[in-house]
Amino acid sequence: MQSSTRLPSDVEALQRLHRALRTLSASNRALLRAEDEDRLYHEFCRIAVEEGGYRLAWVTRAENDEAKTARAIASAGIDEGYLESVQISWAEDTPLGRGPTGIAIRTGKPSVMQNIQTDPYAAPWLETDLAHRFRSFIALPLHVEGAVIGTITIGAPEADAFSEDEVALLTETADDLSFGIETLRLRARHRAAEETIRQMAYFDALTGLPNRLQLRDQLRAAVDVARGANRPLAVLHLRIGSLREITEALGYRESDLLLLEIARRLCAIEATGNVARAAEDAFVIVLARGDAEAARDHSQRILAALAAPVQLSGLLLDARATIGITLYPGHGDEPEALLRRAAIANFRARQTGRRYLFYAGGLDTECTHRLELMGELRRAIEGEELRLFCQPKVEIRSGRVSGVEALVRWDHPRLGMIDPGAFIGLAESAGLITPLTYWVLRAALREGYAWHAAGLAVPLAVNLSPHDLRDPLLLDHVSDALATWGAKPDWIAFEITEGALMDDPIGARDRLVALKKLGVELSIDDFGTGYSSLAYLQKLPIDAIKIDQSFVSGMTSSEDSSVIVRSTIDMAHNLGLRVVAEGVETRTIAERLGQLGCEAAQGYYISRPMPVAQYPDWSAAFSWVQ
């Protein structure tokens, strides 16, 4: 930069120094009130012109584009289109970067152009500057977080406008402004961090809905309002029944997409109330003015909205939702009680096949009882509380016992003998069904060893659950148990329900093929209650099917049941499979099954389930009467 040949008078110098002081003082006051970075830029420009008395002030931002543009982002003063007519860069290798703004950005130091008419670096803008009556400029760098982000540039109509003292004061002003910008950015980051923490603490990361923690706060506030206004309130606990299966079949990405679609549909329902994601597969809707009728209507609307299939991976999938409902004050006046009881009502809805269900008073006690049993079941499996029972199967034509089904009972120290229907579901919920299956397997082979030693060579059939078929250690457990007792594969058999096969058809088939290679017999249990196809059955290495007792027991009273049993027997024989009929309770049913060609029967007509210790005596006394 070239300096002027004329020095200002003392009066002029003092006046110019005062304008710099006024600008510094007013800028500092503005910094104390600043809440927003952009507004601070505009406010500084206004102060420099209106209070400082400069002709034009603007703030530039140093862009990191290819041209290294210095872009004006705030301005004030009489520019008459000046900023729109000039181009400024901070690149060193171009004339547009050799003005005070470009130099200040590059060097990080104030740059003064005292007289545009004598400074050769002013050439790119000389004509425009003269037309707008500017003669001198100062550019002050803005240092923020260790980098120059831009400049404050001030234009004056007179030459030699910026003395050394004035430059020092304006530099202090720029430094204060830089500090203010840095402080505002730090505050903004703190606010963003606080908002992130709040989002993580109070909102579900996937759906953006309030999470369980915020739900409790919202429900507590809603209950307080309802109590003060003496009006009811409803809590709807919605659970997606198919989420686990979709996750296992398609992966987490697809199940996340399903949850996002469900959240979208819930939020789209008019006047649904507050929607929150309460668990992986559960949402809660709070109806702030909901009585029983409103809760029922909303439940029906929600289920209708979720009824349309969701397209994932080219498949149309059903959400299969259930809803449990609680009401304030009828079902409780505390948020935790309302939430817990709504979840209990949902559980009962799934048990009973209902789409939605209101909470009933006795469910809390029942749920507590179930939780107690769930905690005690592990002890029972690991201890000496389980008992092995069995139920024989008989060949209908010969009357020979062809096998027995291994069953389990729980000899509870306080409650006495518990049937499997009361604890098998608990074992599945607690992740204990596979340890229970392995207990039955070991007990069955232990008993089979004793029976074979006594000349009772009949296989014991063990039931396998869907969890068992997914267990990668299943084959190892079966092989180890056989080796432990020196057993041959024909000592044991396995029965698998149709539902277990349909949970994971490909995986189930592969596991059954591996089991079959061990030489064990395989049967499909409860046949007729699932959805397996003939084409699928042909691919399975099975030996027999067991017709579900719901069809067998109705043979003599229902023509439909009789037709189903006859058709099933014919189909199985066409596939080369043997047939066992469950639920044979009368001689008439047994005779009818024999006429239809059914190979074996199992049911109360032959024997009720018995402790395995009683089987030898029963076998010796059994006589088949046709």
Side-chain angles (χ1 to χ4, degrees), residues 347-560:
F347 176 78
R348 175 53 64 87
R350 297 196 309 276
Q351 277 188 322
T352 57
R354 303 279 293 276
R355 300 297 305 280
Y356 65 89
L357 192 68
F358 285 89
Y359 171 78
L363 295 181
D364 247 349
T365 303
E366 179 183 333
C367 187
T368 302
H369 176 64
R370 286 176 58 84
L371 289 174
E372 290 176 356
L373 285 180
M374 194 179 293
E376 295 170 344
L377 183 55
R378 186 180 298 276
R379 179 202 67 208
I381 295 173
E382 296 172 350
E384 299 296 328
E385 295 180 18
L386 299 182
R387 302 289 180 262
L388 189 67
F389 276 53
C390 66
Q391 188 176 27
K393 308 171 194 175
V394 172
E395 291 184 353
I396 295 176
R397 290 188 181 278
S398 67
R400 183 181 67 86
V401 177
S402 58
V404 297
E405 181 178 359
L407 305 169
V408 64
R409 300 290 187 271
W410 181 1
D411 190 4
H412 194 281
R414 176 170 49 86
L415 302 174
M417 199 66 72
I418 303 176
D419 287 339
F423 66 86
I424 293 297
L426 292 178
E428 291 176 339
S429 299
L432 295 173
I433 190 65
T434 297
L436 182 62
T437 298
Y438 293 150
W439 183 93
V440 174
L441 173 65
R442 292 190 296 269
L445 284 172
R446 181 180 67 239
E447 200 61 38
Y449 176 82
W451 288 0
H452 278 71
L456 299 173
V458 293
L460 286 101
V462 176
N463 292 285
L464 294 179
S465 74
H467 296 277
D468 301 332
L469 289 178
R470 288 192 291 267
D471 183 11
L473 300 178
L474 174 62
L475 294 178
D476 292 338
H477 279 280
V478 174
S479 299
D480 291 348
L482 290 171
T484 298
W485 294 101
K488 295 181 180 179
D490 62 1
W491 288 22
I492 201 78
F494 291 105
E495 297 182 359
I496 308 97
T497 64
E498 269 190 291
L501 297 174
M502 290 299 98
D503 269 11
D504 179 15
I506 296 176
R509 179 184 178 279
D510 292 344
R511 200 57 51 85
L512 293 183
V513 168
L515 282 172
K516 192 61 186 175
K517 288 180 179 178
L518 295 177
V520 299
E521 181 179 288
L522 300 175
S523 301
I524 296 181
D525 197 11
D526 300 335
F527 188 82
T529 60
Y531 305 96
S532 55
S533 65
L534 289 176
Y536 180 60
L537 287 177
Q538 287 179 307
K539 297 177 182 179
L540 297 177
I542 56 175
D543 303 287
I545 61 172
K546 295 180 71 176
I547 304 177
D548 187 69
Q549 61 182 347
S550 62
F551 303 115
V552 174
S553 61
M555 284 181 63
T556 56
S557 59
S558 170
E559 181 60 27
D560 289 342

Side-chain angles (χ1 to χ4, degrees), residues 67-91:
K68 293 186 177 180
T69 306
R71 192 179 312 280
I73 58 175
S75 66
I78 306 171
D79 68 347
E80 299 171 345
Y82 174 77
L83 293 175
E84 289 77 9
S85 63
V86 298
Q87 288 183 308
I88 305 173
S89 171
W90 57 279

Side-chain angles (χ1 to χ4, degrees), residues 10 38-39 56 250 338 377 382 409 414 473 478 528 550 586 595 624:
D10 292 342
D38 287 338
R39 290 182 181 177
L56 175 65
L250 302 178
L338 291 169
L377 183 55
E382 296 172 350
R409 300 290 187 271
R414 176 170 49 86
L473 300 178
V478 174
S550 62
T586 66
Q595 294 167 2
W624 178 247

